[in-house]
Amino acid sequence: MAFMIAQRAFIKLYLITMVEQQRGYGYQMLEEMKENFKPFGYVPPQSEIYRALHELVHEGVFYRTKQLKGNDPRVDFQEIVLYHFTEDGPEKANLYKKQVKTDLDRCLGMLNKAAEDNFGT
């Protein structure tokens, strides 16, 4: 068993939640995670975001579609890749989230014990 939760598992957890909330293209998810974790000094690597998305597609949780960014195809030429759940993706995602929750709970227990044992907090 790993010492702490793996970074990729942590990222995949957040990507699944973002797709559940219909915030579905890679760069947007990266920027949101950067902003959310800035107070903790954590910047998720762009390469890890895209590796995690690729794994979720490969595992059959997500599928990808492409569309032009913006609403005017005459002006907006940038194509983005959106991520959506496959037919059984939500079920696979929930199973994955349960597994990660178990790991998070274990890590929190270890961190809380370390804080208590070493700092009395």
Side-chain angles (χ1 to χ4, degrees):
M1 185 169 288
F3 178 64
M4 289 287 163
I5 187 169
Q7 176 177 243
R8 179 104 27 101
F10 182 81
I11 289 171
K12 286 168 74 172
L13 175 68
Y14 273 88
L15 296 175
I16 287 169
T17 299
M18 288 180 200
V19 170
E20 286 172 343
Q21 298 168 348
Q22 268 95 64
R23 292 179 302 209
Y25 71 95
Y27 186 75
Q28 177 186 23
M29 291 187 257
L30 170 65
E31 290 302 310
E32 189 170 322
M33 284 186 73
K34 281 182 180 178
E35 188 61 33
N36 287 337
F37 293 102
K38 189 178 190 177
F40 306 103
Y42 174 66
V43 178
Q46 182 173 344
S47 61
E48 281 299 308
I49 298 288
Y50 287 102
R51 281 186 189 113
L53 285 167
H54 177 76
E55 281 183 12
L56 288 164
V57 169
H58 182 72
E59 293 162 357
V61 178
F62 294 162
Y63 70 93
R64 303 164 10 144
T65 60
K66 294 181 179 182
Q67 79 175 38
L68 293 178
K69 185 177 180 182
N71 296 322
D72 187 349
R74 295 170 297 165
V75 186
D76 300 315
F77 298 110
Q78 183 182 5
E79 192 173 69
I80 58 173
V81 175
L82 297 171
Y83 293 86
H84 316 271
F85 283 113
T86 60
E87 188 174 328
D88 60 347
E91 184 180 322
K92 290 178 179 181
N94 283 334
L95 179 61
Y96 185 79
K97 286 175 84 169
K98 284 179 186 175
Q99 293 168 343
V100 173
K101 173 76 166 96
T102 300
D103 282 348
L104 281 175
D105 288 343
R106 182 183 58 80
C107 293
L108 286 170
M110 289 174 61
L111 292 169
N112 287 330
K113 179 170 178 31
E116 176 64 34
D117 291 350
N118 295 287
F119 305 104
T121 58

